[in-house]
Amino acid sequence: MDELVPGGNLPLPGGALTLGVPGPFDVSALVTDDSGKVRGDGDFVFYNQPAAPGARLSGQTLTVDPAALRAGASRVTVVVSPAEPGTPLGQLPAPTLQVTGSGGRLLARFTPSRPQRETVLLLAEIYRRGTAWKLRALGQGYADGLAGIARDFGVEVAEDTDTGPGQGTGAAAAPRTTGAGARAGADPHTDGFLALVNSARAAVSSRPVVLDGRLTAAARAHAADMAARGRLGSEGADGLSVHQRVTAAGYAYLTVGEHLVSGPRDAAEFVEYCLSGERTRQTVQDPAFTEAGVACVPDNRSGTLYWTALWAAPLTPAGLARTAAEVLALTNAERAAAGLPPLAEDPLLTRAAQAHSADMVARAFYSHTAPDGSEPWDRAAAAGSTRRTIGENIACGQRSPAEVVRGWMDSPGHRANILKPAFTHLGVGFAGGGSAGTYWTQLFGA
C-alpha cells in the first residue's frame, strides 16, 4: 500500500477500482478527455446523478472501471465536499482517500494538507498514460463549492435558490447540469477573455491559445485564496504557490506564465491591463504558450475581483528534448565565443540532471546537496556515468533556455563551469513546479 503526497503518482493494476472517503463527506467525479473538459452533462457523477459509463457512486464509495469509460475518456477526477452543504472543510476532519483494487487489496491512501476555507477539494485523478492507467494525488481546494468545479470542467450550472431539508443556498446548493460541453463563458466576468487574448496574439503572429480545464481549476483556486485574504500573492495561505496549484491540478508544463491582478471588472478590463505593460504584454503574446486558464473571484467584504490567468505549454518528451538541446546549443555558443570546443550531449549525465531537477520540485529544496546528502558526483555515478570530473549548475524561476543560460553567464561561478576547458560533456535537466515554477540543472563531465 502506498501513502501518497500531493503530486504523487501510482501505476494502477487492471480492473475496477473502489475509491472511498470515510467521514462526513460527499464524493463526486468528473470524466474528461485530454482537454480537461467534460463532453456532456453525463460526465458529472454526483449524488443527483450517481452513474456514468465506467463510474458509479454509492454513498461515499466511487467505483471506476477505466476500461468501461466512455469513448475518448482519459481522466476521472475525484472530488470531495462536505456532506452538509456550505460547511468549510476546515471545520471537519481531514479527508482521507482510500483506493482499493479489484481483488480487495488496499492500493493507496492519500490525506491532503488540512483545508481551511475551502468547501470542496479535487482529491485525486485516475488518468491514462499511453495504454496504462495511473493514480495521481491532487489536494486542490476551491472556496465556491461543486458549482465552481463543475463550471471549470465545462459543465453549465444552474444554482438551486430554494432551501429544503439537507440543502444549502446559493453556491453551496447542489449543481444541476443544464448544458453540455466546455463553455468559456461559464463565469460572466471572464466572457470574451479568449477572443480578446487571441486577437492580441494574432497581432504579433502568435498562434491562438485554447482554454484548459486543469489550468482554469488552478487559476480559480488561486484567485479564491487571494480573494479570501484580500490581497495579491503568488503563494496562498495554504503555502501552495500558483505553480504548485498547476501541477497539483494534474498539468505538467514545459513553460508557464501568470497574471495576478485585482480590480478589473470584466475580461476586457483585465486583458487591457495585461497588455498595458511590456512584461505583462509579452506573457499574453508569448508564442511558446499554447493553453491558458482564467478565473476571477470576488472579495466578499469589498467586492473587489481577484484575477488569475495562467499560460502554459504542456510537457511532452519531444518538448523536453528540444529544451535540453537549446540549452546545450546556447552553452556551446558561449564556449565558441571564448574559443573553446563544444560540449557533447551525454545521456547518462542528462538522466542524472533530469532526476535532480525533478527531485528539487518533488522534495521542495534548491541545492546542489539533496536532502539525502547526495552530491552531483554521487548522482552522476548513480546514473551509470564513469566520468572522473563533475560540475553542476542549477537555477530556478527562469522561463526559457535563453533566460537560464544568460543568468548562468552573469554569475561568475556558473560562468566558470560553462567555460571550463576541461569539461567535454553535458547533461541538461528541467522540471516545472515547486515554489519557483521552473528548476534547471546542468551536469558537466570530463
Side-chain angles (χ1 to χ4, degrees):
M1 192 273 294
D2 283 68
E3 290 280 359
L4 297 178
V5 297
N9 292 270
L10 176 70
L12 293 171
L17 303 164
T18 300
L19 302 97
V21 184
F25 305 106
D26 283 333
V27 177
S28 310
L30 290 134
V31 181
T32 58
D33 53 26
D34 289 338
S35 72
K37 295 289 188 178
V38 299
R39 179 175 293 178
D41 296 344
D43 284 346
F44 188 16
V45 179
F46 65 115
Y47 47 85
N48 280 354
Q49 183 172 270
R56 177 171 293 276
L57 182 63
S58 177
Q60 296 168 302
T61 301
L62 176 71
T63 301
V64 177
D65 184 355
L69 295 172
R70 66 157 171 83
S74 60
R75 191 180 307 268
V76 178
T77 303
V78 182
V79 181
V80 66
S81 55
E84 184 65 28
T87 303
L89 286 166
Q91 296 180 12
L92 302 175
T96 295
L97 175 69
Q98 297 181 357
V99 183
T100 304
S102 57
R105 182 171 65 92
L106 185 61
L107 301 175
R109 188 164 52 204
F110 170 56
T111 303
S113 300
R114 186 176 182 83
Q116 300 299 320
R117 297 183 181 89
E118 295 91 336
T119 56
V120 64
L121 287 176
L122 301 182
L123 198 53
E125 63 181 2
I126 298 165
Y127 66 101
R128 186 175 61 213
R129 182 69 73 218
T131 59
W133 289 85
K134 294 185 175 184
L135 174 75
R136 177 185 287 117
L138 299 178
Q140 182 71 53
Y142 278 66
D144 52 355
L146 284 177
I149 283 185
R151 278 191 290 262
D152 285 348
F153 279 78
V155 179
E156 185 177 347
V157 173
E159 304 286 0
D160 290 332
T161 56
D162 298 327
T163 59
Q167 288 187 319
T169 60
R176 292 178 285 110
T177 54
T178 61
R183 204 166 67 88
D187 182 343
H189 292 104
T190 60
D191 275 343
F193 168 81
L194 199 60
L196 291 165
V197 162
N198 283 333
S199 175
R201 291 176 65 84
V204 293
S205 300
S206 291
R207 58 181 170 172
V209 293
V210 297
L211 292 177
D212 180 90
R214 292 161 295 176
L215 291 175
T216 297
R220 180 171 292 278
H222 198 74
D225 183 275
M226 293 191 298
R229 292 183 295 141
R231 61 184 176 89
L232 297 173
S234 60
E235 183 176 292
D238 54 8
L240 291 178
S241 73
V242 65
H243 310 108
Q244 287 169 312
R245 295 190 197 281
V246 172
T247 54
Y251 191 101
Y253 56 80
L254 189 63
T255 186
V256 68
E258 70 282 337
H259 289 108
L260 310 177
V261 180
S262 64
R265 293 164 295 182
D266 55 31
E269 286 189 8
F270 175 63
V271 174
E272 181 182 8
Y273 174 85
C274 294
L275 294 172
S276 64
E278 182 179 355
R279 290 193 64 182
T280 54
R281 183 173 62 253
Q282 286 175 350
T283 299
V284 174
Q285 298 177 327
D286 192 332
F289 297 135
T290 59
E291 296 175 334
V294 65
C296 69
V297 176
D299 178 343
N300 291 330
R301 296 154 297 190
S302 66
T304 300
L305 290 177
Y306 283 80
W307 293 76
T308 299
L310 295 168
W311 315 83
L315 179 69
T316 64
L320 181 61
R322 286 194 302 271
T323 296
E326 189 172 348
V327 171
L328 176 61
L330 290 167
T331 299
N332 280 334
E334 297 292 348
R335 288 177 65 89
L340 297 171
L343 303 174
E345 179 187 2
D346 185 307
L348 298 180
L349 293 179
T350 296
R351 182 188 305 170
Q354 183 61 36
H356 189 56
S357 287
D359 193 31
M360 288 191 287
V361 170
R363 292 201 276 180
F365 73 97
Y366 177 65
S367 174
H368 295 289
T369 304
D372 59 10
S374 62
E375 302 286 354
W377 42 91
D378 300 317
R379 294 188 287 271
S385 175
T386 57
R387 300 198 179 278
R388 292 175 294 177
T389 303
I390 296 293
E392 185 179 76
N393 285 345
I394 59 175
C396 65
Q398 296 81 4
R399 304 301 172 89
S400 69
E403 186 179 348
V404 74
V405 172
R406 184 166 60 249
W408 280 326
M409 288 299 293
D410 288 341
S411 167
H414 298 95
R415 178 187 178 93
N417 273 338
I418 289 175
L419 300 182
K420 186 172 182 176
F423 285 141
T424 57
H425 289 77
L426 179 67
V428 176
F430 167 85
S435 59
T438 58
Y439 291 78
W440 305 79
T441 302
Q442 281 185 314
L443 198 58
F444 302 85

